[in-house]
Amino acid sequence: MPRFFVTHSNYTKKLWNLFLAQKVGFTIPNTLVSNDSRLLKGFLEKNEKVITKSIERDLNHFNEARYLGVFGTRLIDKSNLQPYRLDGTGYHSLLQNYIEKEYELRVFFLKEKIWAMAIFSQSNTQTQIDFRAYDAQVPNRMVPFILSDENQSKISEFMKLANLDTGSLDFVMTKEKKLVFLEVNPVGQYDFVSTNCNYYLHEEIAITLSNGK
């Protein structure tokens, strides 16, 4: 049995998407990809808090007991860098500065149509780093959100440059009310957006497919 496997077949370049998002005018996190522990430690020193996530795809992992774990976003510090070798031959890692957020946004895009949902994950210690660490006992509040015309135009321009006609985009809204682009997933989940916001996205998708547009 392989130790790692991909959870889905889509392939999108996170680093390229960050570049495209910045190109259309979105703010993006400070980002470093390196396998040099000296650079990684330097990045930690320059940023108060740092997170790490997969560079290209989210992977699942079987440990020795064959339990399944999902790699998501993790907060790290210098103690997490011990496996890295000083000669730069360790694994490459993607580091970004952790952004203190007011709330997160999940945006579903389909053929120039946009639906957004605000996720109030910051007040729960279990979900404040990554809302996907769901708390079934105290679920995050999720509500419909209206993006400005400017940000909707940026999303449409980004998706065109990324050559995507659909996808789920993740953003955070800072306490200073600045929208920060995180990533896009061409096959990202939309059902919880539809359910929490009464968007009836399954109908929108069906209509779009039936019209052949």
Side-chain angles (χ1 to χ4, degrees):
M1 178 182 295
R3 186 171 178 81
F4 297 97
F5 67 94
V6 181
T7 58
H8 47 68
S9 60
N10 79 293
Y11 186 77
T12 181
K13 295 183 177 295
K14 289 186 179 181
L15 299 179
W16 179 244
N17 288 338
L18 286 170
F19 168 78
L20 294 180
Q22 193 173 44
K23 185 175 182 178
V24 303
F26 281 123
T27 298
I28 64 172
N30 298 330
T31 303
L32 171 71
V33 176
S34 179
N35 68 340
D36 189 324
S37 62
R38 291 164 293 189
L39 293 177
L40 298 173
K41 289 177 181 177
F43 190 82
L44 278 168
E45 291 172 357
K46 292 179 181 179
N47 297 274
E48 185 175 348
K49 289 184 179 180
V50 173
I51 60 96
T52 185
K53 61 172 67 173
S54 62
I55 297 175
E56 290 293 350
R57 316 180 192 187
D58 287 333
L59 299 174
N60 282 347
H61 166 259
F62 280 107
N63 63 17
E64 288 70 15
R66 296 193 176 184
Y67 290 109
L68 180 64
V70 179
F71 287 175
T73 302
R74 297 290 183 268
L75 191 67
I76 68 169
D77 55 33
K78 291 181 181 179
S79 66
N80 299 106
L81 298 180
Q82 291 177 356
Y84 294 92
R85 303 173 184 174
L86 291 177
D87 59 4
T89 59
Y91 292 110
H92 281 79
S93 291
L94 185 151
L95 302 185
Q96 292 179 324
N97 67 304
Y98 172 71
I99 300 171
E100 295 287 347
K101 56 186 177 286
E102 189 73 23
Y103 46 84
E104 299 183 55
L105 289 176
R106 168 60 66 93
V107 178
F108 182 68
F109 179 94
L110 176 66
K111 297 285 189 178
E112 297 300 324
K113 292 184 179 180
I114 295 172
W115 298 265
M117 178 178 74
I119 305 169
F120 293 89
S121 57
Q122 192 65 13
S123 59
N124 188 325
T125 56
Q126 182 171 319
T127 61
Q128 63 183 202
I129 302 299
D130 187 342
F131 79 86
R132 293 172 297 180
Y134 306 111
D135 186 341
Q137 300 301 316
V138 187
N140 292 154
R141 180 169 172 252
M142 302 181 186
V143 299
F145 186 88
I146 300 176
L147 289 158
S148 67
D149 291 341
E150 178 184 2
N151 283 324
Q152 290 192 51
S153 295
K154 288 180 182 178
I155 290 174
S156 294
E157 185 179 358
F158 165 81
M159 294 295 280
K160 183 178 180 180
L161 290 175
N163 197 29
L164 296 173
D165 56 14
T166 187
S168 295
L169 302 94
D170 290 323
F171 297 85
V172 297
M173 185 69 76
T174 70
K175 296 181 181 297
E176 295 73 34
K177 305 303 180 185
K178 180 180 291 186
L179 193 64
V180 181
F181 173 91
L182 298 181
E183 59 188 350
V184 59
N185 187 339
V187 293
Q189 296 181 22
Y190 63 85
D191 183 65
F192 77 119
V193 178
S194 181
T195 301
N196 284 285
C197 300
N198 293 317
Y199 284 149
Y200 299 98
L201 293 180
H202 56 292
E203 293 184 4
E204 295 283 349
I205 294 171
I207 292 171
T208 299
L209 292 174
S210 63
N211 290 336
K213 296 182 179 179

